[in-house]
Amino acid sequence: MSEPAQSRGAQPGEVKNPSLADYYNASQLRVDSWNRLKSCTLALKRAAAAGQPCDELISKNRSYLEVLTPIESYWAFPGRRQFHRLGRLLETGDYAGLASVTARIVRALMSGSYRRRTINLGLEGHAEEEHDDEEEQADEEMAHHRPYFELLVVDSISPHQETQVRSSLRRMRRDEDNFIYEPIIVPSFEDALIAALFNHNIQAVVVRYGFPFESQHKLQILQRLLARAGDLSRDESTFGDRGVLLATFLGQLRPELDVYLVTDQSVEELAGQVPPNCRRIFYNQEDYFELHLNVLRGIESRYDTPFFTALKHYSKQPTGVFHALPISRGKSITKSHWIQDMGDFYGMNIFLAETSATSGGLDSLLAPQGPLKKAQELAARAFGARHSFFVTNGTSTGNKIVVQAVTRPGDIVLIDRDCHKSHHYGLVLAGAHVIYLDSYPVPEYSMYGAVPLREIKHQLLALKKAGKLDRVRLLLLTNCTFDGIVYNVERVMEECLAIKPDLIFLWDEAWFGFAGLAPTYRHRTGMHTAQSLRARYRDPAYRERYLAHRAELEKIGDDEQALLDTHLLPDPDKVRIRVYATQSTHKTLTSLRQGSMIHVYDQDYKAKVEEPFHEAYMTHTSTSPNYQILASLDVGRRQAELEGFELVQKQVEMAMALRETLQVHPLLKKYFRVLTVRHMIPPEYRQSGIESYFDPEHGWNDIWEAWAQDEFCLDATRITLAVGATGLDGDSFKNQVLMDRYGIQINKTSRNTVLFMTNIGTTRSSVAYLIEVLVQIARDLDERLEDSNPVERRVFEKQVLGLMDVDKQPPLPDFSRFHTAFRPDGEAETPEGDLRTAFFLAYDDAACEYLALDDGSLDGEMARGRDVVSASFVIPYPPGFPILVPGQVISAEILDFMRALDVKEIHGYRPELGLRVFTEAALESLG
């Protein structure tokens, strides 16, 4: 987390302590409060030693301790007993002891050393402040550096009983245990939910019986966490067993947690009610040793990396290599006189693990039966899928595999036009007929948003009216988009299934693989939504709702406008949940480059897709996959299950802190603007009315309502920064300033913006460096403008106007249309096109010609009424998606856009020749 930003109401250059409303979440508040307490205790120690007045400092210390009191009840370190001791040291006047113990706690919290060793806080007399953690004698249990976690126990018991429970669990520890944990005991239902959402160290939960519902802690920033859980009062009043209800909520919020129930009811009756995340039920009084073993076994099941482990074992075996891989075991390197530096650079393990063998404990990617099969099954569990598949050459290949597996020549596919180019090429190979969907434009910043639901429903209803709904196979959308626009996945799927009950969905989540690890984000992922909808349509209450809905639909009839305005519901007797998601693990989680996954939740997979899927998988997958990539995917899955919640939480925190700093820093505001929800999502798609996550005047807005109901949301981990006020376009700012001058790497730019993306590897130091760089750029601009003459200043102002005035921006053209030669039904009302025929016709040079943009030849042909038709994909970088596809009629708006572009790369366009188009004779020959 970054240092606290300048508080609202402070004068420029003045920093005040933020109020609680200034904090995005309780984790930020916890860190800042401990750091302030440390500084304040040190100041109090010095003042007391110098005989100075201490009343004000004592009052400040009390206030910080009051803030931390409810917060620390949800963490095992420093623990309730040691935390309360700080208050006693303050009240007894032992300010030196207070400063020393506080400093050691803060050092352990900031470094995470409490997870690796027992921290001596000087219970028998305070420790010396200068004593270094690294010099401490480690507890025997901590000495082996076993992974540490915390066990949440939900039980309303006395402090004396708490001490007994802690002691009982500690006595169960054994030297042979692979992990070590500390318990946290909370007294209520709400406290359990707060702890699970607040404390990322929690990996397992023991739920006892007889605990109250409400938390006694009313700190608003903690209560805000409960908003993510939904309407608790409704469920509490209608649900029977409170422990089972808590387990259900925990499974929704953090599905990776293992839950153990202790009950005084009939275990046999309760067993049929518990959710899947409940691993064991104990009757009345748990056996502590049995509980201890079960908790560790649950962690072990997530820690297990079958393929990575098999590969490590293989690397240690003495083998003779007599197959086609000279680099295996590093032999071609160690015996070389010229490339030994490669071995020095990479180390030997990577070569010892390099093999093309599928035996010796290893496995085949194309026909997995051993550790790879198990690794993919664990990935399916981690990401909520029914099947998961590893891909070693990127999500581009994953997209082609899915498209080829689920579509056949002549099927109709609806696809957002500005999706990744791999989808377009996949549709060419599959021979599907394509209907391109247009996203809403954001013309001021030369970017597109996402496809409105009305546009999707309109196309489906038109296809239904034309009698073509049986040919509609797939809806393909990018979630989230490169710029961070996130769909309301549940609403899209539900309404589309109401029109086409067996529609298949492919969600390209290349940049959204982390989303399943965070409660707020998870609800907008393909896999989670598939599970939720399937459960909903099985519920008898939904059937009653649907019957009432169907009666309303009978009144509407075929009135398309009314159908577009209505939230449509699918028939529970007809609906089939068929969802695929492709994720670039290497982009947002831990994996080597090109490591990706395909996740499947398809009710008809076994019956209709399994064989074609495996054929498509073998079509696009190498018979010599990189085992290091596969192993990294296996390890990345382990990390996702055991610390994904923590890492994504911190990723969002850093992004929010960066947003806040950029919005309140007086110098940065002169030249940079953080694009908020208001800038990137039109109001008609923001039912909550939220305009930004952070308002410099009022603090943090509650975003949970927006994520629950808005048609589109903005991923907070992506910060789009308008840079036009610097006088540089996005591409120049990226290359000439960020990269060349400061070594800061980014991917995405538009004409007047750059995109910064945080990820689970982003550090506080890198965020601080970015802020430092942007401040330096702003200072340099200030100095340059102060020293410029009037002519130079007018030139600069003209550059800024050209970049920031919406009327000066290039037009954002919609998809025009396919030429009738590539329309299977000619001039039919529905707009699908045969992309494959156009693509392969362009292989014939005689069918193509070039028309230049700048000599009037192209305009002249269009002026005489000719339909000029593109023979190739034309893809400018940025924005990086096709503005022309084979078979598409070129429009005047598209030409205006191309002429206004100032990017260096336009794939499929050769400036010296012009645009490659089909000859009129070639189009006529197709009839």
Side-chain angles (χ1 to χ4, degrees):
M1 194 199 79
S2 64
E3 291 302 312
Q6 178 177 302
S7 298
R8 292 178 291 283
Q11 297 301 313
E14 179 186 2
V15 177
K16 295 182 179 179
N17 288 342
S19 67
L20 296 186
D22 288 314
Y23 287 95
Y24 166 68
N25 65 18
S27 294
Q28 292 175 309
L29 175 60
R30 184 186 189 218
V31 171
D32 274 9
S33 295
W34 273 112
N35 279 320
R36 291 195 182 90
L37 180 64
K38 174 185 173 182
S39 298
C40 196
T41 57
L42 182 59
L44 178 59
K45 170 187 172 182
R46 290 169 176 167
Q52 297 172 350
C54 296
D55 289 351
E56 184 177 350
L57 286 171
I58 292 172
S59 177
K60 281 187 176 182
N61 273 283
R62 285 199 186 107
S63 67
Y64 293 140
L65 289 171
E66 285 174 6
V67 170
L68 284 168
T69 296
I71 287 175
E72 290 309 312
S73 66
Y74 300 107
W75 297 82
F77 180 83
R80 194 170 301 174
R81 179 187 173 199
Q82 293 175 341
F83 178 76
H84 287 164
R85 181 167 172 264
L86 297 180
R88 291 196 300 271
L89 291 172
L90 177 64
E91 298 308 322
T92 58
D94 186 358
Y95 304 138
L98 175 64
S100 176
V101 174
T102 301
R104 298 186 66 73
I105 290 174
V106 172
R107 189 184 309 163
L109 287 173
M110 297 304 106
S111 67
S113 60
Y114 71 93
R115 302 173 74 154
R116 300 185 294 274
R117 62 181 64 86
T118 297
I119 304 300
N120 177 18
L121 295 179
L123 289 175
E124 303 300 330
H126 59 78
E128 291 300 321
E129 183 178 348
E130 62 270 15
H131 187 65
D132 193 285
D133 281 348
E134 298 301 325
E135 298 174 3
E136 293 179 5
Q137 289 297 316
D139 183 287
E140 178 65 27
E141 297 141 343
M142 295 285 193
H144 304 297
H145 300 291
R146 291 174 287 186
Y148 166 91
F149 66 95
E150 293 176 8
L151 173 69
L152 178 65
V153 179
V154 187
D155 197 0
S156 181
I157 54 179
S158 68
H160 176 68
Q161 290 171 314
E162 278 193 28
T163 302
Q164 288 182 322
V165 170
R166 294 178 194 278
S167 298
S168 297
L169 287 171
R170 286 184 67 90
R171 284 197 300 269
M172 298 303 107
R173 294 177 179 175
R174 303 171 301 162
D175 290 343
E176 57 267 35
D177 291 343
N178 292 323
F179 313 101
I180 191 165
Y181 63 87
E182 289 289 346
I184 312 158
I185 301 173
V186 298
S188 74
F189 188 105
E190 289 186 343
D191 283 315
L193 294 181
I194 292 171
L197 289 168
F198 181 21
N199 184 346
H200 47 71
N201 288 336
I202 293 171
Q203 295 291 345
V205 185
V206 177
V207 179
R208 291 184 55 82
Y209 53 90
F211 51 86
F213 187 78
E214 288 191 12
S215 169
Q216 297 303 306
H217 297 313
K218 299 304 179 184
L219 191 62
Q220 184 181 11
I221 200 165
L222 293 175
Q223 289 288 317
R224 193 191 303 169
L225 291 167
L226 295 175
R228 306 188 201 181
D231 187 354
L232 295 175
S233 60
R234 175 180 56 81
D235 289 286
E236 166 67 3
S237 63
T238 59
F239 204 90
D241 188 275
R242 185 172 287 174
V244 175
L245 177 62
L246 177 56
T248 301
F249 269 100
L250 289 170
Q252 293 170 354
L253 296 171
R254 289 189 61 184
E256 78 278 10
L257 296 182
D258 299 318
V259 178
Y260 303 90
L261 282 180
V262 182
T263 180
D264 59 353
Q265 298 184 28
S266 168
V267 175
E268 293 78 12
E269 291 181 10
L270 200 62
Q273 304 176 33
V274 298
N277 60 319
C278 184
R279 294 180 64 95
R280 178 80 184 268
I281 302 176
F282 295 92
Y283 179 68
N284 199 21
Q285 179 65 45
E286 68 270 34
D287 178 332
Y288 282 112
F289 186 63
E290 192 63 30
L291 174 63
H292 174 79
L293 293 179
N294 273 271
V295 167
L296 295 185
R297 192 177 300 123
I299 302 300
E300 186 70 55
S301 70
R302 282 182 274 156
Y303 189 82
D304 182 28
T305 47
F307 187 75
F308 177 57
T309 301
L311 195 61
K312 286 194 297 182
H313 289 165
Y314 170 85
S315 70
K316 298 174 183 178
Q317 296 174 3
T319 60
V321 178
F322 294 96
H323 57 78
L325 198 65
I327 203 171
S328 180
R329 319 297 293 182
K331 299 299 185 183
S332 65
I333 296 173
T334 56
K335 66 186 293 187
S336 171
H337 298 294
W338 296 94
I339 62 170
Q340 296 253 345
D341 55 335
M342 183 179 182
D344 295 338
F345 180 75
Y346 286 106
M348 281 305 297
N349 277 344
I350 192 170
F351 304 115
L352 290 172
E354 191 60 69
T355 180
S356 63
T358 58
S359 58
L362 299 179
D363 208 349
S364 166
L365 181 59
L366 296 178
Q369 298 297 323
L372 258 179
K373 182 174 184 291
K374 178 69 182 301
Q376 292 182 143
E377 290 170 351
L378 293 177
R381 179 188 69 187
F383 293 97
R386 303 184 83 181
H387 310 279
S388 290
F389 300 90
F390 291 172
V391 181
T392 58
N393 42 349
T395 302
S396 295
T397 291
N399 292 334
K400 294 169 191 172
I401 289 171
V402 176
V403 168
Q404 181 176 320
V406 302
T407 61
R408 297 163 293 188
D411 285 344
I412 295 176
V413 173
L414 281 67
I415 175 175
D416 60 303
R417 193 253 312 216
D418 47 325
C419 65
H420 191 268
K421 65 180 183 179
S422 60
H423 293 294
H424 303 275
Y425 287 112
L427 291 166
V428 167
L429 297 176
H433 294 170
V434 181
I435 293 180
Y436 282 115
L437 305 169
D438 286 310
S439 300
Y440 68 82
V442 187
E444 185 177 356
Y445 302 104
S446 299
M447 64 177 68
Y448 287 92
V451 181
L453 179 55
R454 289 181 71 90
E455 164 71 2
I456 302 169
K457 289 170 64 177
H458 165 70
Q459 295 293 351
L460 286 173
L461 291 170
L463 289 161
K464 181 179 181 180
K465 183 178 180 181
K468 297 180 180 179
L469 207 54
D470 61 309
R471 289 176 50 207
V472 177
R473 180 72 58 179
L474 177 68
L475 173 63
L476 198 165
L477 297 172
T478 304
N479 189 51
C480 69
T481 70
F482 210 150
D483 297 295
I485 307 301
V486 183
Y487 283 88
N488 188 329
V489 175
E490 181 179 295
R491 180 76 180 271
V492 170
M493 288 175 56
E494 182 157 81
E495 296 218 44
C496 289
L497 288 170
I499 303 170
K500 170 74 173 172
D502 62 346
L503 183 64
I504 302 171
F505 298 86
L506 171 52
W507 294 99
D508 182 341
E509 297 178 356
W511 295 95
F512 212 43
F514 70 92
L517 311 179
T520 304
Y521 282 78
R522 185 182 302 116
H523 291 276
R524 293 196 172 222
T525 64
M527 292 299 102
H528 177 84
T529 303
Q531 293 182 51
S532 298
L533 290 183
R534 190 171 188 195
R536 176 183 303 171
Y537 301 146
R538 288 171 166 175
D539 189 343
Y542 173 81
R543 183 176 296 277
E544 293 181 14
R545 181 184 170 202
Y546 170 74
L547 292 175
H549 172 72
R550 189 172 66 181
E552 292 298 318
L553 288 183
E554 290 174 357
K555 300 175 185 177
I556 294 175
D558 295 328
D559 184 344
E560 181 176 325
Q561 190 60 43
L563 290 171
L564 291 176
D565 292 336
T566 301
H567 183 151
L568 303 178
L569 300 177
D571 185 339
D573 293 327
K574 297 179 180 179
V575 69
R576 304 294 291 174
I577 305 300
R578 310 192 63 189
V579 186
Y580 295 77
T582 52
Q583 292 178 351
S584 294
T585 313
H586 67 100
K587 285 187 171 76
T588 65
L589 298 172
T590 295
S591 168
L592 293 177
R593 189 73 167 170
Q594 297 189 12
S596 295
M597 296 188 194
I598 299 170
H599 302 301
V600 180
Y601 197 107
D602 183 352
Q603 286 182 261
D604 294 335
Y605 177 78
K606 287 288 185 181
K608 299 181 179 179
V609 182
E610 187 171 27
E611 289 304 320
F613 185 92
H614 285 301
E615 289 297 323
Y617 193 79
M618 287 189 282
T619 299
H620 295 280
T621 301
S622 170
T623 55
S624 301
N626 187 304
Y627 274 17
Q628 316 314 316
I629 296 176
L630 294 173
S632 72
L633 287 169
D634 196 14
V635 174
R637 187 276 316 156
R638 177 210 281 174
Q639 184 181 46
E641 284 198 290
L642 288 168
E643 59 181 344
F645 175 79
E646 172 187 359
L647 295 175
V648 174
Q649 183 186 61
K650 291 180 177 178
Q651 172 187 352
V652 175
E653 285 175 12
M654 281 187 283
M656 290 298 198
L658 177 57
R659 284 176 179 274
E660 179 182 4
T661 300
L662 292 171
Q663 287 179 265
V664 302
H665 195 288
L667 185 56
L668 293 179
K669 288 193 296 183
K670 290 178 63 176
Y671 299 103
F672 305 109
R673 178 195 298 170
V674 176
L675 299 195
T676 66
V677 181
R678 175 174 60 86
H679 297 113
M680 301 185 70
I681 303 175
E684 60 266 31
Y685 307 126
R686 289 185 276 113
Q687 289 75 11
S688 68
I690 191 172
E691 295 193 345
S692 67
Y693 294 144
F694 175 79
D695 179 345
E697 293 300 318
H698 303 100
W700 293 102
N701 292 308
D702 193 344
I703 68 172
W704 319 125
E705 181 183 355
W707 276 79
Q709 69 179 33
D710 286 1
E711 180 166 349
F712 298 113
C713 288
L714 181 63
D715 174 14
T717 68
R718 298 154 194 268
I719 298 97
T720 300
L721 198 65
V723 298
T726 66
L728 293 173
D729 63 84
D731 191 62
S732 298
F733 189 84
K734 165 191 171 182
N735 292 309
Q736 297 174 19
V737 180
L738 292 178
M739 188 63 201
D740 292 349
R741 199 179 304 171
Y742 297 104
I744 291 177
Q745 302 175 24
I746 61 171
N747 281 354
K748 169 76 165 55
T749 67
S750 74
R751 180 172 170 79
N752 53 16
T753 70
V754 295
L755 174 66
F756 299 103
M757 298 191 301
T758 60
N759 57 56
I760 64 170
T762 303
T763 64
R764 290 178 62 187
S765 296
S766 59
V767 170
Y769 178 60
L770 174 59
I771 294 170
E772 177 187 337
V773 164
L774 293 175
V775 168
Q776 186 59 51
I777 292 169
R779 285 176 180 153
D780 291 346
L781 276 167
D782 261 1
E783 291 181 7
R784 196 185 97 193
L785 291 174
E786 286 175 5
D787 296 344
S788 63
N789 59 44
V791 174
E792 290 171 331
R793 184 174 287 274
R794 283 196 298 271
V795 170
F796 176 79
E797 290 170 351
K798 183 178 179 181
Q799 290 172 329
V800 171
L801 182 64
L803 289 167
M804 297 302 292
D805 187 340
V806 65
D807 296 327
K808 307 279 186 185
Q809 304 312 310
L812 293 174
D814 287 340
F815 182 82
S816 52
R817 60 184 171 89
F818 283 105
H819 189 269
T820 52
F822 305 108
R823 298 270 294 277
D825 296 329
E827 293 291 349
E829 291 183 3
T830 55
E832 68 271 15
D834 184 354
L835 193 62
R836 180 175 186 170
T837 296
F839 181 86
F840 286 108
L841 178 62
Y843 278 32
D844 182 0
D845 287 341
C848 303
E849 63 179 322
Y850 286 93
L851 294 177
L853 267 72
D854 52 6
D855 66 359
S857 58
L858 183 54
D859 296 275
E861 291 295 308
M862 292 174 65
R864 70 177 179 83
R866 173 183 171 183
D867 276 345
V868 180
V869 181
S870 177
S872 61
F873 287 102
V874 177
I875 307 173
Y877 276 79
F881 61 84
I883 58 172
L884 285 170
V885 303
Q888 180 183 349
V889 175
I890 300 172
S891 67
E893 291 79 10
I894 291 171
L895 291 183
D896 289 342
F897 179 76
M898 290 191 67
R899 287 173 175 142
L901 284 172
D902 53 6
V903 299
K904 298 177 176 61
E905 288 185 60
I906 305 181
H907 299 175
Y909 169 65
R910 299 178 62 180
E912 72 278 13
L913 297 176
L915 282 172
R916 193 164 189 252
V917 301
F918 289 116
T919 64
E920 290 180 283
L923 296 174
E924 291 171 2
S925 69
L926 295 177

